[in-house]
Amino acid sequence: GTGSASATDLWEQSALNQVLQRGELQVCLEAGYMPFDMRNKKGDIVGFDVDIAKTMAKAMDVKLDLRNTAWDGIIPALLTGKCDLIISGMTINPERNLKVNFTDPYIVVGQTILLSPALKDKVKSYKDLNDEKYRITTKLGATSDYATKKYMSKAKLNLFETESEAALEVINGNADAFIYDLPYNAIYSSQNVGKVIHLDQSFTYEPLGMAVRKGDPDFLNFLNNYLAQIKGDGTYDKLYNKWFVS
Ligand code: ARG
């Protein structure tokens, strides 16, 4: 460019300004990641992310529109303006951070293992799964996909579009293990007692953040301060206890 944008230019273009003008916060997420983004019995999208987005929209005094978006298209959707932000249990990593900006982490998770009960005594950690005789499943394009390729490169990897299809393979006897984020696996194993074993020691470090388009300091400033506020005033703890402690 020929010059630098002024503060008023930046604010004109800020997604936050667009949200206020429109009177609606448009959020991309993908339902299917318990307990962050999922469908209840009525078919509504609910979860920890949804509740954070709801309180945030309320603080902005705007409506909230949840836009269910397939995982492999969720960053492109943000970049092409289909939503103002992504809150979808997204791990902050360098590869993604080259394309989008992230807020400060709102929670930290890590990868764990849902194991076939048949391997109870044979497999104690992800290291034991790094063997060509094992079949592992996970979700395409998730950090579990990258982690499995990195730490269990010898195993056969089968990728699925949704986490539920991938996890079901273990129950059906088509896979030895499903690798995924701890909170999902904790809930899944409690819903499928005796059908899977949860090896619940995380072997990766994964801070989750909200993603926004680059070049938008005004929006990022609002979101980070909003997160700091709810962490301090009890709102965050209330929502955390609602979704993570049963
Ligand atoms: N934390 C993992 C990642 O960033 C999984 C997130 C999946 N989120 C979802 N809404 N399906 O890759």
Side-chain angles (χ1 to χ4, degrees):
T2 49
S4 54
S6 71
T8 35
D9 290 340
L10 277 175
W11 172 241
E12 278 309 318
Q13 290 155 24
S14 172
L16 180 55
N17 187 28
Q18 289 164 29
V19 168
L20 298 179
Q21 306 257 335
R22 195 194 296 131
E24 183 177 87
L25 174 67
Q26 299 172 343
V27 171
C28 280
L29 45 67
E30 187 205 39
Y33 176 64
M34 304 182 288
F36 294 82
D37 323 274
M38 56 202 194
R39 299 247 181 219
N40 66 11
K41 290 201 176 92
K42 277 166 56 196
D44 302 324
I45 303 174
V46 298
F48 186 56
D49 285 343
V50 175
D51 279 355
I52 291 177
K54 275 186 182 161
T55 64
M56 222 162 61
K58 204 166 168 199
M60 295 173 180
D61 196 24
V62 297
K63 286 187 288 187
L64 176 66
D65 185 24
L66 301 176
R67 307 197 151 184
N68 194 33
T69 308
W71 189 249
D72 64 351
I74 204 161
I75 287 180
L78 173 69
L79 296 180
T80 55
K82 304 248 163 36
C83 50
D84 305 303
L85 66 87
I86 299 169
I87 180 164
S88 198
M90 186 174 275
T91 301
I92 301 170
N93 68 18
E95 188 196 352
R96 291 170 180 164
N97 213 166
L98 294 173
K99 298 182 195 145
V100 298
N101 279 7
F102 285 102
T103 62
D104 297 334
Y106 61 95
I107 195 166
V108 176
V109 304
Q111 297 303 312
T112 64
I113 299 162
L114 289 184
L115 188 71
S116 162
L119 293 170
K120 191 175 182 288
D121 301 314
K122 295 209 179 78
V123 174
K124 297 284 177 205
S125 91
Y126 73 93
K127 288 176 192 152
D128 300 326
L129 281 172
N130 189 22
D131 188 310
E132 58 189 8
K133 69 172 177 275
Y134 292 128
R135 303 155 301 168
I136 299 177
T137 60
T138 192
K139 183 180 168 78
L140 174 75
T143 45
S144 52
D145 177 351
Y146 315 135
T148 306
K149 283 170 181 154
K150 182 172 174 189
Y151 295 110
M152 287 150 276
S153 58
K154 289 182 186 155
K156 285 188 213 78
L157 176 60
N158 207 353
L159 297 168
F160 291 81
E161 224 155 281
T162 66
E163 30 287 85
S164 62
E165 291 171 279
L168 193 60
E169 291 291 282
V170 176
I171 293 181
N172 289 344
N174 297 325
D176 300 302
F178 165 74
I179 309 291
Y180 212 53
D181 298 26
L182 183 145
Y184 183 92
N185 285 349
I187 295 175
Y188 195 92
S189 61
S190 74
Q191 292 172 346
N192 293 280
V193 177
K195 296 181 192 160
V196 290
I197 294 168
H198 188 200
L199 301 183
D200 63 359
Q201 253 203 322
S202 297
F203 58 90
T204 60
Y205 174 80
E206 306 201 21
L208 310 184
M210 297 184 225
V212 298
R213 287 182 288 278
K214 287 195 172 288
D216 193 347
D218 292 328
F219 200 20
L220 212 47
N221 177 259
F222 179 92
L223 295 172
N224 279 331
N225 286 324
Y226 186 76
L227 283 175
Q229 176 63 32
I230 63 170
K231 279 194 180 172
D233 71 11
T235 306
Y236 180 94
D237 290 343
K238 214 179 92 198
L239 297 179
Y240 183 89
N241 290 335
K242 173 178 170 188
W243 293 104
F244 291 91
V245 186
S246 48

